Amino acid sequence: MKKIFFAGILFALIGFAFTAKTNRTITGTIQDEKGIPVVGASVVAKGTKNGVVSDINGKFSIVVDDKTKALEVSYVGYKTTVIKLSDKSDYTVVLKANTTALNEVVVVGYGAETADVALNAAPVMSQQLAGRAAGVYMRGRKSLRYSASYMQKKAYDKSWRYNGNFNTEGYDHIVENPFLKAGDNPLSTFSIDVDAASYANVRRFINDGQLPPAGAVRIEEMINYFSYNYPQPQGDAPFSINTEVANCPWNAQHQLVLIGLQGKKISTQNLPASNLVFLIDVSGSMNEPDKLSLVQSSLKLLVGQLRPQDKVALVVYAGNAGLVLPSTSGDEKMKIKDAIDALEAGGSTAGGAGIQLAYATAKKNFIRGGNNRVILCTDGDFNVGQSSEDELQTLIEQERSSGIFLSVLGFGTGNYQDSKMQLLADKGNGNHNYIDNLSEARRVFVNEFGGTLFTIAKDVKLQIEFNPKKIQGYRLIGYENRLLNKEDFNDDKKDAGELGSGHTVTALYEVIPAGIKDTMLKEADALRYQKTKPLSQPGFNDEVMNIKLRYKKPDGDKSILMEHPLKEENIAFHSTSNNFRFAASVAEFGMLLRNSEYKGSADFLSVKNIAASAVDNDEDGYRKEFIQLVDRASTLRDKAMVNKVKVIPAQQSR
């Protein structure tokens, strides 16, 4: 009997082995009809919730069972494609543009014309959301995709988002820097800016089928989203200063001057220990897949980078603030991830109380000589408790002086408070990034881990003196909210921007050479009591400008001065470096999105052609993605003009 019994079990196990599901891995590359990789495309096993998104090179890898017969691939602006699976394990998917998906477009921030516009946006937006970048988010250990009810709600919401009744996103009004006469204003002074939130936010608008409001387009942040191949600094200097000058692509009479800083790259193993406090908004407004769920997935990417000497704490805030994870060693990754997975949204937002608790936690676990930082994850909608911006700023400035910095990560749509979060990060000596998908989270927390979290120089200020014998006028492109008075340059009490390990900072000046007639410069009456003849010291006649830079060490109080004169050069634009041409293309794109009065002959085709000539060494694919974005923005603008859609001005921040 025993032999029969065991034989039965054996046959049952064999039968189970033959009937059990087997899994296999399907890989592939997603590209458009021109062969350009599509980043963030949604790849889902048909009939299931199992899905992934394509990476920065358009590649994907998904594990499916033997019952899966097809994959669905979708992305905004393209037709959904179904791949029938065969014995192959690797596929190349070509997405075709959807010529009807963008027929109805909401254009934001391009003019002052107002009218009641009936837009049947819901069908369009639901299709766009179905293929939006990072359409799959991780919650706990289960894979979730947008539900139909959620997509319908988002489509309904977006159809009202810009008529003044629903949208509460806040953006500062930006007054573009004008052209100034070098003779009257020889000094230009500003703080560096390594924030990259604007570019990711602009990308979110365009990928959602909308041109961004003008206040969302900060050109310096768009330029500095990208890395540039500047040489590493020599000796003890924390960064190198690099310059280049050539003719301006959107105004043939003008020249473009590039100033680039390259931060010293420190290997991860040599970075100082970190004391991090994640301050997470779990209020009711965060209860959407592109908010709290994306926060959780993003933070878990960062957890994967932590070392045993690093420490992490979790503070949450809604109606009240609470410590959900005391400071925990970086080698206890599962414990940290479990705490992140357990977060749920609900309640109102007491942002001030949360920040106070986060700083108190950071103080308690302070690492002398280490990286002590609070990382705020929110949509920025502080509306209960200590929410006065003045009170929050005062608290953040006080803690900054104690060596605890604040970085801000923005999430979500509809009530995203861009201007408030940018201000908090500036006051906290930290970064401001907007996370629109998991690929962006990977860029911030994995690819640029050191630059995001480790400051190598603080209060970095630049002051450029123009030689009026060579330059009659100039305009700083962007950095409008980073301008300083000329006296601030030597004032070590004046706060300025920070530079992280390996980070680059790029600034562009459009200059008007001496001796040409130009309508950009406004005339003023001659001064009665001042000398109007330009003066220059002997020996400097071949210099176009002199660049001075001040910075402090991360734990220092006294600034260090560096100087870099720029001599006259005559280089054709096509002969410039990839750094120069790509930065120029991004600046031109930003001016088109802002409909800048200084855009000259700029157009989307010019942007695309210049960028395409400068994509060498694009290991992460960000420059190729930029070219895709330019195409989509051009399509949106063309559709708006063809269909004569009324322009609705963007709601600016209070």
Side-chain angles (χ1 to χ4, degrees), residues 88 119 237 256 280 295 298 302 311 320 323 346 350 386 420 422 442 454 480-481 485 513 521 526 552 560 565 651:
K88 293 196 310 179
L119 290 175
L256 205 59
I280 305 169
V295 169
S298 301
L302 174 58
K311 296 188 293 184
N320 295 298
L323 179 65
Q386 183 186 346
K420 181 179 291 187
Q422 184 187 28
R442 185 173 290 107
F454 296 93
E480 283 85 0
N481 62 353
N485 296 322
L521 293 174
K552 298 174 188 171
I560 299 168
Q651 176 182 350

Side-chain angles (χ1 to χ4, degrees), residues 42 47 81 100 161 281 304 441 459 474 496 509 651:
S42 173
T81 298
T100 60
R161 192 160 275 177
D281 182 354
D459 292 341
Y474 64 89
Y509 278 94
Q651 176 182 350

Side-chain angles (χ1 to χ4, degrees), residues 57 197 251 577:
N57 297 309
N251 192 320
S577 68

Side-chain angles (χ1 to χ4, degrees), residues 275 277 358-367 372 399 402 404:
N275 164 35
V277 179
Y359 275 122
T361 304
K363 275 185 177 179
K364 182 179 179 181
N365 300 282
F366 190 87
I367 299 175
N372 299 278
E399 299 299 343
S402 71
I404 301 174

Side-chain angles (χ1 to χ4, degrees), residues 330-349:
D331 60 358
E332 296 188 67
K333 290 180 173 54
M334 286 307 301
K335 181 178 180 181
I336 300 169
K337 288 181 178 181
D338 286 344
I340 293 171
D341 285 337
L343 300 176
E344 294 182 355
S348 55
T349 312

Side-chain angles (χ1 to χ4, degrees), residues 217-277:
V217 182
R218 294 188 290 275
I219 295 178
E220 74 280 4
E221 293 189 19
M222 295 181 66
I223 293 172
N224 287 319
Y225 179 89
F226 301 94
S227 296
Y228 299 89
N229 188 28
Y230 302 133
Q232 279 289 308
Q234 302 297 316
D236 295 332
F239 42 76
S240 63
I241 303 176
N242 308 275
T243 55
E244 202 167 353
V245 58
N247 55 298
C248 179
W250 55 85
N251 192 320
Q253 286 192 307
H254 295 180
Q255 289 184 318
L256 205 59
V257 178
L258 177 146
I259 302 172
L261 307 181
Q262 172 65 62
K264 180 176 289 186
K265 189 168 186 178
I266 304 173
S267 61
T268 302
Q269 59 266 31
N270 294 329
L271 291 170
S274 287
N275 164 35
L276 304 177
V277 179

